[in-house]
Amino acid sequence: MPAPTRAISLVSVGGMPKAATPWGQTEVVEELTVPQRAGEKRFATIVQLLADAKGDELVRFAYSTRGTARRGPVTLRARDLERLRAALAEHPGLARALGLTNGQA
């Protein structure tokens, strides 16, 4: 069976990381991490572009502590949003899915 293709004509490659969602199994197409801290606490926000078997895209936000993704609310300060926008310049699929061009609103 041929590998599914995505709307932007990228062929899905076997071995891409998988992610379970309420809508079913997906592949992680792009991922970026925004390091954060509050006092002595260190954590990060993770933003992922996911694609399902039909090529539909989903964007997932999570936070991580000690390298482990956690559920729960994700909070970004203004300076964290600046880091996110800057990182989106290197992740065009995520920028497009979020409705941003080159990480700019």
Side-chain angles (χ1 to χ4, degrees):
M1 179 163 143
T5 58
R6 297 197 24 213
I8 56 175
S9 300
L10 293 177
V11 176
S12 178
V13 178
M16 293 179 84
K18 305 287 185 197
T21 74
W23 298 274
Q25 190 72 11
T26 64
E27 291 183 338
V28 179
V29 177
E30 288 184 9
E31 179 178 293
L32 68 84
T33 301
V34 179
Q36 296 176 272
R37 78 175 199 196
E40 296 299 314
K41 297 177 186 175
R42 303 280 191 265
F43 52 99
T45 292
I46 301 166
V47 184
Q48 296 175 319
L49 176 62
L50 309 174
D52 67 14
K54 295 184 268 180
D56 292 333
E57 293 180 333
L58 301 93
V59 176
R60 176 163 65 180
F61 289 83
Y63 75 94
S64 69
T65 57
R66 290 180 254 204
T68 301
R70 310 276 182 199
R71 291 184 178 189
V74 174
T75 305
L76 297 165
R77 296 170 296 178
R79 67 178 172 225
D80 299 322
L81 287 170
E82 290 171 14
R83 288 187 195 133
L84 174 60
R85 285 186 195 101
L88 285 170
E90 296 180 24
H91 298 274
L94 272 169
R96 180 187 40 72
L98 291 169
L100 304 173
T101 305
N102 295 326
Q104 300 300 314

